[in-house]
Amino acid sequence: MTEQQVVTELHRTLVLCLDLGGTFAFALSGAMVGIRRRLDLFGVLLLAYAASTAGGVGRDVMIDTVPPVALRDWRYLAVSVAAGGLAFFCTGVVKKLRDPVRVMDAVGLAFFAVAGTQKALLYGAGPLGAALLGMMTGIGGGIVRDVLVREIPAVLRSEFYAIAALAGAACVVAGGLLRVPVLASAVVGGVVCFGLRMIGIRRGWQLPVAGTPH
């Protein structure tokens, strides 16, 4: 195996690990929303799976890697079911987190924004396209989760959501352009995305809303 093949294989492994990390976090957030809405076990697990795979499925379709990895790799289903079951049967423990849905959502957003960008770059997307795909991977799960429970998705409201995902994705793209090791750019991008999202929540950062004074 050549050096380039080793680097590519390590890159693929990093994307897989980030994907599974994001799957777990978004599955927890989806499951907690289902529990709040008093869904049964099947409903909670279904919402967990939908929330944790929607962004990655959309990304894979756009970069023409079909069928999407979340639909052909058993680990994605296993991780989402495990996270959903954990939330369902250990609700008291999960609820001890401060605002668990938004915390897990922020973690998943960071994982998926970085993973989506890295995978897009791996499959030959340009810098702008990779950043946009990273953002879409990050926000996709939250959109599907909210739609399924008949809520307006956070990305369409005034919350600092998509901007955080785009900022994290841009860090990954910048790291690639500067030839920074992929792990380092992934860490920086993830920290930036998560940090911006959590700071936005804590400080009430909002984008302008139509009909309100700016």
Side-chain angles (χ1 to χ4, degrees):
M1 187 178 288
T2 66
E3 182 179 351
Q4 182 58 44
Q5 288 174 322
V6 171
V7 171
T8 300
E9 191 59 34
L10 289 174
H11 199 168
R12 291 181 188 276
T13 301
L14 175 62
V15 169
L16 174 63
C17 292
L18 291 169
D19 250 1
L20 292 177
T23 297
F24 186 83
F26 259 123
L28 272 179
S29 77
M32 289 302 300
V33 169
I35 292 167
R36 284 183 179 178
R37 292 303 186 96
R38 301 191 63 80
L39 301 184
D40 62 15
L41 176 59
F42 179 78
V44 168
L45 294 180
L46 180 62
L47 195 59
Y49 182 70
S52 64
T53 58
V57 168
R59 172 202 63 204
D60 288 353
V61 169
M62 289 183 186
I63 61 176
D64 199 27
T65 57
V66 290
V69 65
L71 302 180
R72 55 186 166 84
D73 189 331
W74 63 270
R75 288 172 290 190
Y76 287 80
L77 176 61
V79 168
S80 69
V81 169
L86 176 66
F88 189 87
F89 293 108
C90 303
T91 305
V93 176
V94 177
K95 282 184 176 179
K96 288 181 179 179
L97 290 171
R98 182 179 177 182
D99 200 353
V101 173
R102 291 208 285 187
V103 170
M104 289 298 103
D105 188 75
V107 173
L109 185 72
F111 271 112
F112 274 146
V114 171
T117 308
Q118 292 281 16
K119 189 166 186 177
L121 291 172
L122 189 62
Y123 279 80
L128 178 60
L132 292 175
L133 276 172
M135 180 191 71
M136 293 174 65
T137 305
I139 68 178
I143 290 174
V144 170
R145 177 198 64 215
D146 293 347
V147 167
L148 286 175
V149 295
R150 295 190 297 179
E151 290 183 2
I152 299 174
V155 69
L156 301 181
R157 294 176 297 190
S158 57
E159 295 187 18
F160 205 76
Y161 195 81
I163 298 298
L166 186 59
C171 290
V172 175
V173 169
L177 293 174
L178 296 172
R179 309 257 181 207
V180 175
V182 292
L183 180 58
S185 64
V187 170
V188 171
V191 169
V192 167
C193 179
F194 178 79
L196 284 175
R197 176 64 179 140
M198 294 307 298
I199 292 172
I201 291 171
R202 300 284 170 81
R203 297 191 177 181
W205 286 353
Q206 296 182 339
L207 296 176
V209 178
T212 59
H214 300 317

